[in-house]
Amino acid sequence: MARWITSAKLIVLAGFLFVSAGTAWYEWAYVWPVKRCDARGAWWDFRDRQCLTPMPIWRITGRGVVPAAPAPPTSTSSRKDGGAGLSGTHAGRAHERRAQGGAVGPG
């Protein structure tokens, strides 16, 4: 019986060491390169396992970067529905209900 327990302990220990070594290898081969690539701000290609630098489209097309025009300011008081965020017929109904002192909502 003692020999069986010793054999079982050695088998479990060997299995543990094998799984631990496999986990360490997986981290070294797959996880660490992705983390290093992400830390640099590059893109990781899983299919080819390469760390690639993104290229902006303006380098390919030759066009300059044009900043976007600012959005016009919106005022809640200029809205038809009084700023309730409703549209169409709901806005008209909300305005009527508000005038009558009732609750505002879809309906």
Side-chain angles (χ1 to χ4, degrees):
M1 181 77 146
R3 200 162 74 168
W4 182 85
I5 292 175
T6 303
S7 297
K9 282 194 290 188
L10 290 177
I11 289 172
V12 169
L13 178 63
F16 174 76
L17 291 176
F18 180 75
V19 170
S20 296
T23 302
W25 174 82
Y26 180 81
E27 288 280 327
W28 174 78
Y30 290 98
V31 177
W32 291 351
V34 175
K35 287 184 179 181
R36 280 193 306 260
C37 186
D38 285 344
R40 281 188 7 211
W43 292 345
W44 180 255
D45 180 15
F46 285 100
R47 184 176 47 177
D48 297 329
R49 298 189 65 232
Q50 295 180 4
C51 186
L52 304 170
T53 304
M55 181 183 293
I57 192 71
W58 59 266
R59 283 195 182 169
I60 298 169
T61 62
R63 297 180 184 176
V65 179
V66 179
T74 57
S75 169
T76 57
S77 63
S78 66
R79 290 173 58 169
K80 226 169 116 177
D81 60 356
L86 303 173
S87 62
T89 59
H90 294 297
R93 290 183 195 157
H95 185 64
E96 291 170 7
R97 286 189 189 144
R98 191 175 288 116
Q100 295 172 0
V104 178

